[in-house]
Amino acid sequence: VGGRIRPVTPAELSTHNTTNDAWLAIRGRVYNITHYLPYHPGGPEELMRGAGMDATQLFDKVHPWVNYDSLLAKCLVGPLRFDLPDAD
Ligand code: HEM
């Protein structure tokens, strides 16, 4: 299971910023949080504050103890990569 892991550029990440299609990055890993939104203990609105961006600082400010990588294991899209050309 799993697979289809692929690198994501910041420009692509930034387009996934709606409640129907929300991605965020923490410590260089991009997650599709769309299906986690209703389950976030802090509410979907709080989680959406980090959508479409590198949310590492926001996340660490609120709850650095939360094991996001295990909670979002099935939501991993791939590594955030700054050194790739953006697709059109
Ligand atoms: C709780 C905000 C991302 C998992 C909370 C709470 C806030 C918050 C304000 C406190 C709710 C309360 O106690 O009433 C945010 C913001 C995020 C973010 C602004 C943007 C980056 C995430 C992510 C995950 C996550 C990515 C994991 C998938 C949790 C969990 C709690 C929580 C498990 C309960 C923590 C506890 O009570 O110890 N969040 N969150 N959050 N959030 Fe987030």
Side-chain angles (χ1 to χ4, degrees):
V1 238
R4 292 192 295 278
I5 296 299
R6 57 163 184 86
V8 177
T9 64
E12 183 184 11
L13 172 61
S14 70
T15 66
H16 299 274
N17 64 346
T18 67
T19 52
N20 288 325
D21 176 19
W23 295 7
L24 61 67
I26 300 176
R27 275 177 269 285
R29 288 156 77 83
V30 177
Y31 302 93
N32 182 338
I33 54 163
T34 310
H35 299 294
Y36 182 70
L37 281 169
Y39 301 103
H40 179 237
E45 296 84 3
E46 281 291 324
L47 185 50
M48 280 303 291
R49 292 173 63 206
M53 62 171 78
D54 181 343
T56 305
Q57 293 186 348
L58 200 51
F59 179 91
D60 285 345
K61 217 178 287 176
V62 184
H63 41 37
W65 58 86
V66 169
N67 193 343
Y68 61 92
D69 194 48
S70 116
L71 287 168
L72 300 176
K74 292 181 176 167
C75 307
L76 181 66
V77 181
L80 183 60
R81 290 282 297 273
F82 295 91
D83 56 343
L84 295 173
D86 288 313
D88 295 319

Coordinates of all heavy atoms in Angstrom, one line a residue:
V1 N 0.8 -1.2 0.0 CA 0.0 0.0 0.0 C 0.9 1.2 0.0 O 2.1 1.1 0.1 CB -0.9 0.0 1.2 CG1 -2.4 0.1 0.8 CG2 -0.7 -1.1 2.1
G2 N 0.3 2.4 -0.1 CA 1.0 3.6 -0.1 C 1.4 3.9 -1.6 O 0.6 3.7 -2.5
G3 N 2.6 4.4 -1.8 CA 3.1 4.6 -3.1 C 2.6 6.0 -3.6 O 1.9 6.7 -2.9
R4 N 2.9 6.3 -4.9 CA 2.5 7.6 -5.5 C 3.1 8.7 -4.7 O 2.5 9.8 -4.7 CB 1.0 7.7 -5.7 CG 0.5 6.7 -6.8 CD -0.9 7.0 -7.2 NE -1.9 6.9 -6.1 CZ -2.4 5.7 -5.7 NH1 -2.0 4.6 -6.4 NH2 -3.3 5.6 -4.8
I5 N 4.1 8.5 -4.0 CA 4.8 9.6 -3.3 C 5.6 10.4 -4.3 O 6.4 9.8 -5.1 CB 5.7 9.1 -2.1 CG1 4.9 8.4 -1.1 CG2 6.6 10.2 -1.5 CD1 3.9 9.2 -0.3
R6 N 5.4 11.7 -4.3 CA 6.2 12.5 -5.3 C 6.5 13.9 -4.7 O 5.8 14.4 -3.8 CB 5.3 12.7 -6.6 CG 4.0 13.3 -6.3 CD 3.4 13.7 -7.6 NE 2.1 14.4 -7.5 CZ 2.0 15.7 -7.2 NH1 3.1 16.5 -7.0 NH2 0.8 16.3 -7.1
P7 N 7.6 14.6 -5.2 CA 7.9 15.9 -4.7 C 6.9 16.9 -5.1 O 6.2 16.8 -6.1 CB 9.3 16.2 -5.4 CG 9.4 15.2 -6.5 CD 8.5 14.0 -6.2
V8 N 6.8 17.9 -4.2 CA 5.8 19.0 -4.4 C 6.6 20.4 -4.3 O 7.4 20.5 -3.4 CB 4.7 19.0 -3.3 CG1 3.7 20.2 -3.5 CG2 4.0 17.7 -3.4
T9 N 6.4 21.3 -5.2 CA 7.0 22.6 -5.2 C 6.1 23.5 -4.3 O 4.9 23.3 -4.2 CB 7.2 23.2 -6.6 OG1 5.8 23.4 -7.1 CG2 8.0 22.3 -7.5
P10 N 6.7 24.6 -3.8 CA 5.9 25.5 -3.0 C 4.8 26.1 -3.9 O 3.7 26.4 -3.3 CB 6.9 26.6 -2.7 CG 8.2 25.9 -2.6 CD 8.1 24.9 -3.7
A11 N 5.0 26.3 -5.2 CA 3.9 26.9 -6.0 C 2.7 26.0 -6.1 O 1.6 26.4 -6.1 CB 4.5 27.2 -7.4
E12 N 3.0 24.7 -6.3 CA 1.9 23.7 -6.3 C 1.2 23.6 -5.0 O 0.0 23.6 -4.9 CB 2.4 22.3 -6.7 CG 1.3 21.3 -6.9 CD 1.7 19.9 -7.2 OE1 2.9 19.6 -7.1 OE2 0.8 19.1 -7.5
L13 N 2.0 23.6 -3.9 CA 1.4 23.5 -2.6 C 0.4 24.7 -2.3 O -0.6 24.5 -1.8 CB 2.6 23.6 -1.5 CG 2.2 23.7 -0.1 CD1 1.3 22.6 0.4 CD2 3.4 23.9 0.8
S14 N 0.8 25.9 -2.8 CA 0.0 27.0 -2.5 C -1.4 27.0 -3.2 O -2.3 27.7 -2.8 CB 0.8 28.3 -3.0 OG 0.8 28.4 -4.4
T15 N -1.5 26.2 -4.2 CA -2.8 26.1 -4.9 C -3.8 25.2 -4.1 O -5.0 25.3 -4.4 CB -2.7 25.5 -6.3 OG1 -2.3 24.1 -6.3 CG2 -1.7 26.3 -7.1
H16 N -3.3 24.4 -3.2 CA -4.2 23.5 -2.4 C -4.6 24.2 -1.1 O -4.1 23.8 0.0 CB -3.5 22.2 -2.2 CG -3.2 21.5 -3.5 ND1 -4.1 20.6 -4.1 CD2 -2.1 21.5 -4.2 CE1 -3.6 20.2 -5.2 NE2 -2.3 20.7 -5.3
N17 N -5.5 25.2 -1.1 CA -5.7 26.0 0.0 C -7.2 26.2 0.3 O -7.7 27.2 0.8 CB -5.0 27.4 -0.1 CG -5.6 28.2 -1.3 OD1 -6.3 27.6 -2.1 ND2 -5.3 29.4 -1.3
T18 N -8.1 25.3 -0.2 CA -9.5 25.3 0.1 C -9.9 24.1 0.9 O -9.2 23.1 0.9 CB -10.3 25.3 -1.2 OG1 -10.2 24.1 -1.9 CG2 -9.8 26.4 -2.2
T19 N -11.1 24.2 1.5 CA -11.5 23.1 2.4 C -11.8 21.8 1.6 O -11.9 20.7 2.2 CB -12.8 23.5 3.2 OG1 -13.8 24.0 2.3 CG2 -12.5 24.6 4.2
N20 N -12.0 21.9 0.3 CA -12.3 20.8 -0.5 C -11.0 20.2 -1.0 O -11.0 19.1 -1.6 CB -13.1 21.1 -1.7 CG -14.6 21.4 -1.3 OD1 -15.1 20.7 -0.4 ND2 -15.2 22.3 -2.0
D21 N -9.9 20.9 -0.8 CA -8.6 20.5 -1.4 C -7.5 21.2 -0.7 O -7.0 22.2 -1.1 CB -8.6 20.8 -2.9 CG -7.2 20.5 -3.6 OD1 -6.4 19.7 -3.0 OD2 -6.9 21.0 -4.6
A22 N -7.1 20.7 0.5 CA -6.2 21.4 1.4 C -4.9 20.5 1.7 O -5.0 19.4 2.1 CB -6.9 21.7 2.7
W23 N -3.8 21.1 1.3 CA -2.5 20.5 1.7 C -1.7 21.4 2.6 O -1.9 22.7 2.5 CB -1.6 20.3 0.4 CG -2.2 19.4 -0.6 CD1 -3.4 18.7 -0.6 CD2 -1.5 18.9 -1.8 NE1 -3.5 17.9 -1.8 CE2 -2.4 18.1 -2.5 CE3 -0.3 19.2 -2.4 CZ2 -2.0 17.4 -3.7 CZ3 0.1 18.6 -3.6 CH2 -0.8 17.7 -4.3
L24 N -0.9 20.9 3.4 CA 0.1 21.7 4.1 C 1.4 20.9 4.3 O 1.4 19.7 4.2 CB -0.5 22.2 5.5 CG -0.9 21.3 6.6 CD1 0.2 20.5 7.2 CD2 -1.6 22.1 7.7
A25 N 2.4 21.7 4.6 CA 3.8 21.1 4.8 C 4.2 21.3 6.2 O 4.0 22.4 6.8 CB 4.8 21.7 3.8
I26 N 4.8 20.3 6.8 CA 5.4 20.4 8.1 C 6.8 19.7 8.0 O 6.9 18.5 7.6 CB 4.6 19.7 9.2 CG1 3.2 20.4 9.4 CG2 5.3 19.8 10.6 CD1 2.3 19.8 10.4
R27 N 7.8 20.4 8.4 CA 9.2 19.9 8.3 C 9.5 19.1 7.0 O 10.1 18.0 7.0 CB 9.5 19.0 9.5 CG 9.9 19.8 10.7 CD 10.2 19.0 12.0 NE 8.9 18.9 12.8 CZ 8.5 19.9 13.5 NH1 9.1 21.1 13.6 NH2 7.4 19.8 14.2
G28 N 9.2 19.8 5.9 CA 9.6 19.3 4.6 C 8.7 18.2 4.0 O 9.1 17.6 3.0
R29 N 7.6 17.9 4.7 CA 6.7 16.8 4.2 C 5.4 17.4 3.9 O 4.8 18.1 4.8 CB 6.6 15.7 5.2 CG 7.9 14.9 5.2 CD 8.1 14.1 6.5 NE 7.3 12.9 6.6 CZ 7.6 11.7 6.1 NH1 8.8 11.6 5.4 NH2 6.9 10.7 6.3
V30 N 4.8 17.2 2.7 CA 3.5 17.7 2.3 C 2.4 16.7 2.6 O 2.6 15.5 2.2 CB 3.5 18.1 0.8 CG1 2.2 18.6 0.4 CG2 4.6 19.2 0.6
Y31 N 1.4 17.1 3.3 CA 0.2 16.2 3.6 C -1.0 16.8 3.0 O -1.3 18.0 3.0 CB 0.0 16.1 5.1 CG 1.3 15.6 5.8 CD1 2.2 16.5 6.4 CD2 1.5 14.3 6.0 CE1 3.3 16.1 7.1 CE2 2.6 13.8 6.7 CZ 3.5 14.7 7.2 OH 4.6 14.3 7.9
N32 N -1.9 15.9 2.5 CA -3.2 16.3 2.1 C -4.1 16.2 3.3 O -4.5 15.1 3.7 CB -3.7 15.3 0.9 CG -5.1 15.7 0.4 OD1 -5.9 16.3 1.1 ND2 -5.4 15.2 -0.8
I33 N -4.5 17.3 3.9 CA -5.3 17.3 5.1 C -6.8 17.4 4.9 O -7.5 17.5 5.9 CB -4.8 18.5 6.0 CG1 -4.9 19.8 5.2 CG2 -3.4 18.3 6.5 CD1 -4.9 21.1 6.1
T34 N -7.2 17.3 3.6 CA -8.6 17.5 3.3 C -9.5 16.6 4.2 O -10.5 17.1 4.8 CB -8.9 17.2 1.8 OG1 -8.0 17.9 1.0 CG2 -10.3 17.6 1.4
H35 N -9.2 15.3 4.2 CA -10.1 14.4 5.0 C -9.9 14.4 6.5 O -10.7 13.8 7.2 CB -9.9 13.0 4.4 CG -10.2 12.9 2.9 ND1 -11.5 13.1 2.5 CD2 -9.5 12.7 1.8 CE1 -11.5 13.0 1.2 NE2 -10.3 12.7 0.7
Y36 N -8.8 15.0 6.9 CA -8.5 15.1 8.4 C -9.2 16.3 8.9 O -9.5 16.4 10.2 CB -7.0 15.2 8.6 CG -6.7 15.3 10.1 CD1 -6.9 14.2 11.0 CD2 -6.2 16.5 10.7 CE1 -6.6 14.3 12.3 CE2 -5.9 16.5 12.0 CZ -6.1 15.4 12.8 OH -5.8 15.5 14.2
L37 N -9.6 17.3 8.1 CA -10.2 18.5 8.6 C -11.3 18.3 9.6 O -11.3 18.9 10.7 CB -10.7 19.4 7.4 CG -9.7 20.2 6.7 CD1 -10.3 20.8 5.4 CD2 -9.1 21.3 7.5
P38 N -12.3 17.5 9.3 CA -13.4 17.3 10.3 C -13.0 16.6 11.6 O -13.7 16.7 12.6 CB -14.4 16.3 9.6 CG -13.9 16.2 8.2 CD -12.5 16.7 8.1
Y39 N -11.8 16.0 11.6 CA -11.4 15.3 12.8 C -10.4 16.1 13.7 O -10.0 15.7 14.7 CB -10.7 14.0 12.4 CG -11.7 13.1 11.7 CD1 -11.6 12.9 10.3 CD2 -12.7 12.4 12.3 CE1 -12.5 12.1 9.6 CE2 -13.6 11.6 11.6 CZ -13.5 11.5 10.3 OH -14.3 10.7 9.6
H40 N -10.0 17.2 13.2 CA -9.0 18.0 13.9 C -9.5 18.5 15.2 O -10.6 19.2 15.2 CB -8.5 19.2 13.0 CG -7.5 20.1 13.7 ND1 -7.7 21.4 13.9 CD2 -6.3 19.8 14.3 CE1 -6.6 21.9 14.6 NE2 -5.8 21.0 14.8
P41 N -8.9 18.2 16.4 CA -9.5 18.6 17.7 C -9.6 20.1 17.8 O -10.4 20.5 18.6 CB -8.5 18.0 18.7 CG -7.8 16.9 17.9 CD -7.8 17.3 16.5
G42 N -8.8 20.8 17.1 CA -8.9 22.3 17.2 C -9.9 22.9 16.2 O -10.0 24.1 16.1
G43 N -10.5 22.0 15.5 CA -11.5 22.5 14.5 C -10.9 22.7 13.1 O -9.7 23.0 13.0
P44 N -11.7 22.6 12.1 CA -11.3 22.8 10.7 C -10.7 24.2 10.4 O -9.8 24.3 9.7 CB -12.5 22.5 9.8 CG -13.7 22.5 10.8 CD -13.2 22.2 12.1
E45 N -11.3 25.2 11.0 CA -10.9 26.6 10.7 C -9.5 26.8 11.2 O -8.7 27.4 10.5 CB -11.8 27.6 11.4 CG -13.3 27.6 10.9 CD -14.1 26.5 11.6 OE1 -13.6 25.8 12.5 OE2 -15.3 26.4 11.2
E46 N -9.1 26.3 12.4 CA -7.8 26.4 12.9 C -6.8 25.7 11.9 O -5.7 26.2 11.6 CB -7.7 25.8 14.3 CG -8.2 26.7 15.4 CD -7.3 28.0 15.6 OE1 -6.0 27.9 15.4 OE2 -7.8 29.1 15.8
L47 N -7.1 24.5 11.6 CA -6.3 23.7 10.7 C -6.1 24.4 9.3 O -5.0 24.4 8.8 CB -6.8 22.3 10.5 CG -6.0 21.3 9.7 CD1 -4.5 21.2 10.2 CD2 -6.6 19.9 9.8
M48 N -7.1 25.0 8.8 CA -7.1 25.7 7.6 C -6.1 26.9 7.6 O -5.7 27.4 6.5 CB -8.5 26.2 7.1 CG -9.3 25.1 6.5 SD -8.6 24.3 5.0 CE -8.6 25.6 3.9
R49 N -5.8 27.4 8.8 CA -4.8 28.5 8.8 C -3.5 28.1 8.2 O -2.7 29.0 7.8 CB -4.6 29.0 10.3 CG -5.8 29.6 10.9 CD -5.6 29.9 12.4 NE -4.5 30.8 12.6 CZ -3.7 30.9 13.7 NH1 -4.0 30.1 14.7 NH2 -2.7 31.7 13.8
G50 N -3.2 26.8 8.2 CA -1.9 26.3 7.7 C -2.0 25.8 6.2 O -1.0 25.4 5.7
A51 N -3.2 25.9 5.6 CA -3.4 25.3 4.3 C -2.6 26.0 3.2 O -2.6 27.2 3.2 CB -4.9 25.2 4.0
G52 N -2.1 25.3 2.3 CA -1.4 25.8 1.1 C 0.0 26.4 1.4 O 0.6 27.1 0.6
M53 N 0.5 26.1 2.6 CA 1.8 26.7 3.0 C 2.7 25.7 3.9 O 2.2 24.6 4.2 CB 1.6 28.0 3.8 CG 0.8 27.7 5.1 SD 0.7 29.1 6.2 CE -0.6 30.0 5.4
D54 N 3.9 26.2 4.1 CA 4.7 25.5 5.1 C 4.2 26.0 6.5 O 4.4 27.1 6.9 CB 6.2 25.9 5.0 CG 7.1 25.2 6.0 OD1 6.6 24.7 7.0 OD2 8.3 25.2 5.7
A55 N 3.5 25.0 7.2 CA 2.8 25.4 8.4 C 3.6 25.0 9.7 O 3.1 24.9 10.8 CB 1.4 24.7 8.5
T56 N 4.9 24.7 9.5 CA 5.8 24.2 10.6 C 5.7 25.1 11.8 O 5.5 24.7 12.9 CB 7.2 24.1 10.1 OG1 7.2 23.2 8.9 CG2 8.1 23.4 11.2
Q57 N 5.9 26.4 11.6 CA 6.0 27.4 12.7 C 4.6 27.5 13.4 O 4.6 27.5 14.6 CB 6.5 28.7 12.2 CG 7.9 28.7 11.8 CD 8.5 30.1 11.4 OE1 7.7 31.1 11.3 NE2 9.8 30.2 11.3
L58 N 3.6 27.5 12.6 CA 2.2 27.6 13.2 C 1.9 26.4 14.0 O 1.5 26.4 15.2 CB 1.2 27.7 12.0 CG -0.2 28.2 12.2 CD1 -0.2 29.5 12.9 CD2 -0.9 28.3 10.8
F59 N 2.3 25.2 13.5 CA 2.1 23.9 14.2 C 2.8 23.9 15.5 O 2.3 23.6 16.5 CB 2.5 22.8 13.3 CG 2.4 21.4 13.9 CD1 1.2 20.7 13.8 CD2 3.4 20.9 14.7 CE1 1.1 19.4 14.4 CE2 3.3 19.7 15.3 CZ 2.1 18.9 15.1
D60 N 4.1 24.3 15.4 CA 5.0 24.2 16.6 C 4.6 25.2 17.7 O 4.8 25.0 18.9 CB 6.4 24.4 16.2 CG 7.0 23.2 15.5 OD1 6.4 22.1 15.6 OD2 8.1 23.4 14.9
K61 N 3.9 26.3 17.2 CA 3.5 27.3 18.2 C 2.3 26.8 19.0 O 2.2 27.1 20.2 CB 3.0 28.6 17.4 CG 3.4 29.9 18.1 CD 2.9 31.1 17.2 CE 3.8 31.3 16.0 NZ 3.3 32.4 15.1
V62 N 1.5 26.0 18.4 CA 0.2 25.5 19.0 C 0.5 24.2 19.8 O 0.1 24.1 20.9 CB -0.9 25.3 18.0 CG1 -2.2 24.9 18.7 CG2 -1.1 26.6 17.2
H63 N 1.0 23.2 19.1 CA 1.1 21.9 19.8 C 2.3 21.1 19.2 O 2.1 20.1 18.4 CB -0.2 21.1 19.6 CG -0.8 21.2 18.3 ND1 -0.2 21.3 17.1 CD2 -2.2 21.3 18.0 CE1 -1.0 21.3 16.1 NE2 -2.2 21.4 16.6
P64 N 3.5 21.4 19.6 CA 4.7 20.7 19.1 C 4.7 19.2 19.5 O 5.4 18.4 18.9 CB 5.9 21.4 19.7 CG 5.3 22.2 20.9 CD 3.9 22.5 20.5
W65 N 3.9 18.8 20.5 CA 3.9 17.4 21.0 C 3.0 16.5 20.1 O 3.1 15.3 20.2 CB 3.3 17.4 22.4 CG 2.0 17.9 22.5 CD1 0.8 17.3 22.3 CD2 1.6 19.3 22.9 NE1 -0.3 18.1 22.5 CE2 0.2 19.4 22.8 CE3 2.4 20.4 23.2 CZ2 -0.5 20.6 23.1 CZ3 1.7 21.6 23.5 CH2 0.3 21.7 23.4
V66 N 2.2 17.1 19.2 CA 1.3 16.2 18.4 C 2.1 15.4 17.4 O 2.9 16.0 16.6 CB 0.2 17.1 17.7 CG1 -0.5 16.3 16.7 CG2 -0.7 17.6 18.8
N67 N 1.9 14.1 17.3 CA 2.6 13.3 16.3 C 1.9 13.3 14.9 O 1.2 12.4 14.5 CB 2.7 11.9 16.8 CG 3.7 11.0 16.0 OD1 4.0 11.4 14.9 ND2 4.1 9.9 16.6
Y68 N 2.0 14.4 14.3 CA 1.3 14.7 13.0 C 1.7 13.6 11.9 O 0.9 13.2 11.1 CB 1.6 16.1 12.4 CG 3.1 16.3 12.2 CD1 3.7 16.0 11.0 CD2 4.0 16.7 13.2 CE1 5.0 16.2 10.7 CE2 5.3 16.9 13.0 CZ 5.8 16.6 11.8 OH 7.2 16.8 11.6
D69 N 3.0 13.2 12.0 CA 3.5 12.3 10.9 C 2.8 10.9 11.0 O 2.5 10.3 10.0 CB 5.0 12.1 11.0 CG 5.5 11.5 9.7 OD1 5.1 11.9 8.6 OD2 6.3 10.5 9.8
S70 N 2.4 10.5 12.2 CA 1.7 9.2 12.3 C 0.2 9.4 12.1 O -0.4 8.6 11.4 CB 2.0 8.6 13.7 OG 0.9 8.5 14.5
L71 N -0.3 10.5 12.5 CA -1.7 10.8 12.3 C -2.0 11.0 10.8 O -3.1 10.6 10.3 CB -2.2 12.1 13.0 CG -2.4 12.0 14.5 CD1 -2.5 13.4 15.1 CD2 -3.5 11.1 14.9
L72 N -1.1 11.5 10.1 CA -1.3 11.9 8.7 C -0.5 10.9 7.7 O -0.3 11.2 6.6 CB -0.9 13.3 8.4 CG -1.7 14.4 9.2 CD1 -1.1 15.8 8.8 CD2 -3.2 14.3 8.8
A73 N -0.1 9.8 8.2 CA 0.7 8.8 7.4 C 0.1 8.5 6.1 O 0.8 8.5 5.0 CB 0.9 7.6 8.2
K74 N -1.2 8.3 6.1 CA -1.9 8.0 4.8 C -2.2 9.2 3.9 O -2.7 9.1 2.8 CB -3.2 7.2 5.1 CG -3.0 5.9 5.7 CD -4.2 5.1 6.0 CE -4.0 3.7 6.5 NZ -5.2 3.1 7.0
C75 N -1.9 10.4 4.5 CA -2.2 11.6 3.8 C -0.9 12.2 3.2 O -1.0 13.3 2.6 CB -2.8 12.6 4.7 SG -4.3 12.0 5.6
L76 N 0.2 11.5 3.3 CA 1.5 12.0 2.8 C 1.4 12.1 1.3 O 1.1 11.2 0.6 CB 2.6 11.2 3.2 CG 4.0 11.6 2.8 CD1 4.4 12.9 3.4 CD2 5.1 10.5 3.1
V77 N 1.7 13.3 0.7 CA 1.8 13.5 -0.7 C 3.3 13.3 -1.1 O 3.5 12.6 -2.1 CB 1.3 14.9 -1.1 CG1 1.4 15.1 -2.7 CG2 -0.1 15.2 -0.7
G78 N 4.2 13.9 -0.4 CA 5.6 13.8 -0.7 C 6.4 14.9 -0.2 O 5.9 15.8 0.5
P79 N 7.7 14.9 -0.5 CA 8.6 15.9 0.1 C 8.4 17.3 -0.6 O 8.1 17.4 -1.8 CB 10.0 15.4 -0.2 CG 9.8 14.5 -1.4 CD 8.5 13.9 -1.3
L80 N 8.5 18.4 0.2 CA 8.5 19.7 -0.3 C 9.9 20.0 -0.9 O 10.9 19.9 -0.2 CB 8.2 20.7 0.8 CG 8.0 22.2 0.4 CD1 6.9 22.4 -0.6 CD2 7.7 23.0 1.7
R81 N 9.9 20.4 -2.2 CA 11.2 20.6 -2.9 C 11.3 22.0 -3.5 O 10.4 22.4 -4.2 CB 11.3 19.5 -4.0 CG 11.5 18.1 -3.5 CD 12.9 17.9 -3.0 NE 13.8 18.0 -4.2 CZ 14.2 17.0 -5.0 NH1 13.7 15.8 -4.8 NH2 15.0 17.2 -5.9
F82 N 12.3 22.7 -3.1 CA 12.5 24.0 -3.6 C 13.4 24.1 -4.8 O 13.5 25.1 -5.4 CB 13.1 24.9 -2.5 CG 12.2 25.0 -1.3 CD1 12.3 24.1 -0.2 CD2 11.3 26.1 -1.2 CE1 11.5 24.3 0.9 CE2 10.5 26.2 -0.1 CZ 10.5 25.3 0.9
D83 N 13.9 22.9 -5.2 CA 15.0 23.0 -6.2 C 14.5 22.4 -7.6 O 15.2 22.0 -8.4 CB 16.2 22.2 -5.8 CG 15.9 20.8 -5.4 OD1 14.7 20.5 -5.1 OD2 16.8 19.9 -5.3
L84 N 13.1 22.3 -7.7 CA 12.6 21.8 -8.9 C 11.8 22.9 -9.7 O 11.3 23.8 -9.1 CB 11.6 20.6 -8.6 CG 12.1 19.4 -8.0 CD1 11.0 18.4 -7.6 CD2 13.1 18.7 -9.0
P85 N 11.8 22.8 -11.0 CA 11.1 23.8 -11.8 C 9.6 23.6 -11.5 O 9.1 22.4 -11.3 CB 11.4 23.5 -13.2 CG 11.9 22.1 -13.2 CD 12.5 21.9 -11.9
D86 N 8.8 24.6 -11.5 CA 7.3 24.5 -11.4 C 6.7 24.1 -12.7 O 7.1 24.5 -13.7 CB 6.7 25.8 -10.9 CG 7.1 26.1 -9.5 OD1 7.0 25.2 -8.6 OD2 7.5 27.3 -9.2
A87 N 5.7 23.1 -12.5 CA 5.0 22.7 -13.7 C 4.1 23.9 -14.1 O 3.7 24.7 -13.3 CB 4.2 21.5 -13.4
D88 N 3.6 23.9 -15.4 CA 2.8 25.0 -15.9 C 1.4 24.8 -15.3 O 0.9 23.7 -15.2 CB 2.7 25.0 -17.4 CG 4.1 25.3 -18.0 OD1 4.7 26.2 -17.4 OD2 4.5 24.7 -18.9
Ligands
HEM1 C1 -5.4 20.8 18.8 C2 -4.5 24.5 15.9 C3 -2.4 21.6 12.7 C4 -3.6 17.8 15.5 C5 -5.3 22.0 18.3 C6 -5.8 23.2 19.0 C7 -5.5 24.3 18.1 C8 -4.9 23.7 16.9 C9 -5.8 25.7 18.4 C10 -6.3 23.3 20.4 C11 -7.7 22.9 20.4 C12 -8.3 23.0 21.9 O1 -7.6 22.5 22.8 O2 -9.3 23.5 22.0 C13 -3.8 24.0 14.8 C14 -3.3 24.9 13.7 C15 -2.7 24.0 12.8 C16 -2.8 22.7 13.3 C17 -3.4 26.4 13.6 C18 -2.0 24.5 11.6 C19 -0.8 24.1 11.3 C20 -2.6 20.3 13.2 C21 -2.1 19.1 12.5 C22 -2.4 18.0 13.3 C23 -3.1 18.5 14.4 C24 -1.4 19.1 11.1 C25 -2.2 16.6 13.0 C26 -2.6 15.9 12.0 C27 -4.1 18.2 16.6 C28 -4.4 17.4 17.8 C29 -4.9 18.3 18.8 C30 -4.9 19.6 18.2 C31 -4.1 15.9 17.9 C32 -5.2 18.0 20.2 C33 -3.9 18.2 21.0 C34 -4.0 18.0 22.5 O3 -5.0 18.2 23.0 O4 -2.9 17.7 23.1 N1 -4.8 22.4 17.1 N2 -3.6 22.7 14.5 N3 -3.2 19.9 14.3 N4 -4.5 19.6 16.9 FE1 -4.0 21.1 15.7

